[in-house]
Amino acid sequence: MSSGGPSQPSPYTPPPAQPPAGQPAHVQPGYAPPQPQQPAVQYPQAPQYGAQQYAQSAYTPAAFSQRPTYASVLAQPTPYSPPAPVAPSPSQGLPALPSGKRGGRIALGVLFGFLGLLLLALIAYFGLFLGALASVIGLVLALIPLTAVFLVVRMIDRWEPEPKSLVFFAIAWGAIAAVGLTLLVDLGLSIVLGGPRNEVAGAVIQAPVVEELWKGVGVFLIFLIARRSFDGPVDGVVYGALVGAGFAFTENIQYFAISLIEGGGEQLTVTFILRAIMSPFAHAMFTSLTGLAIGLAARRGASTGAAIGFGLLGMLGAMFLHGLWNGSSFANFFLLYFVLQVPLFVGFILGVVALRREEARLTKARLGDYAAAGWFTPEEVTMLATPAGRKTGLRWAAQLRGDRRPLMREFIKDATTLAAVRQRAITGRDPMAPAEEQALLVRTRAARAALLAY
């Protein structure tokens, strides 16, 4: 009811449906005739419609006339579609370890390009002077001692693995550059001196001096372009042995091919036994002395000049052992082999074992510094810094849900690298040590959390 004017019609008045059968059309549904006892003034009432009339009506309100269409019945939504949860902000990832200097990476790329050119020259040399068939047979046979030496060197390197790019470069330098440059020097001496040379002098003096010089250059280059990966004597032994193994690989191809050409299968068998079975570690052992000397200088934080001086002393030792080995072929080879060469090889192995123990002791001491600061527990230091502790840790990780040995290996690797970084920081020769230390601490903490997670 409104004051001061007629009542307003309802904004929504559905049309009347057809009257039911038997009811006059002029009789409105819901109409009640006036009663005599009622007052004369009556207020109009809004028409009422029944449910049946609503059902028979063809009228649809505008608010409900537009219905969405779907590709299929299965595509229709459920009556209640809760909103998707809001994605959380990305969590902070593990920090990347700082890379080496850009100049070192460029120098390494240039050296690989130089090795590629020398490789083409060596392939042409073997193809022209030895023939394709003999060269291929020599290459296949030379892979056998190379594989044996490489596996042993990798066992030595398991304590703190060296970058794969440097491992590949060390082998490539010995197999390509050291051999190619040695051949160039030999060719130059032949032109300058003219005529045949003394075989004994060539084998005992010229070959050890020239070969160990060029092999040692490869170890020096690794030290110069990647000093942060040249932490100590074990690294030096690894790099020197890999360079020597690469040199022996290419040299064996040449010797095996020449033996096949000159003496057939019988002479090739003898050469294979002497070089691949009795002395596969000879070149690796010689050049490792050069690497050992440079590694000792690196551990002391020596300057480049001091490292070169140490390396020259080691190179002299390598030349002496090399000349002694070659000279035994002009005397009683088998007697000198068992009396001299075998004890030298045993001493080499014992020396490597002693170096690894020293690395373990130093790793434990450096990680102990972090344990005192609360980063590790004493039990974790023992697990990370001793061979027995590492084996126990890997066995424990294998029993965890999902076999978490890969996580344990990463934990061990980062912790060992962390100890080496701290050693470089103590010697003051690595300006990037603080940044790498912080990154490794975050990574080791994340690795521990992942290992202990349920």
Side-chain angles (χ1 to χ4, degrees), residues 364-387:
K364 189 174 183 179
R366 296 288 76 86
L367 291 181
D369 298 341
Y370 293 106
W375 288 97
F376 300 103
T377 65
E379 292 78 14
E380 286 177 332
V381 172
T382 302
M383 180 189 71
L384 296 169
T386 61

Side-chain angles (χ1 to χ4, degrees), residues 42-56:
Q42 297 292 328
Y43 296 96
Q45 296 182 359
Q48 302 294 322
Y49 301 97
Q52 184 179 6
Q53 291 176 302
Y54 273 107
Q56 294 176 352

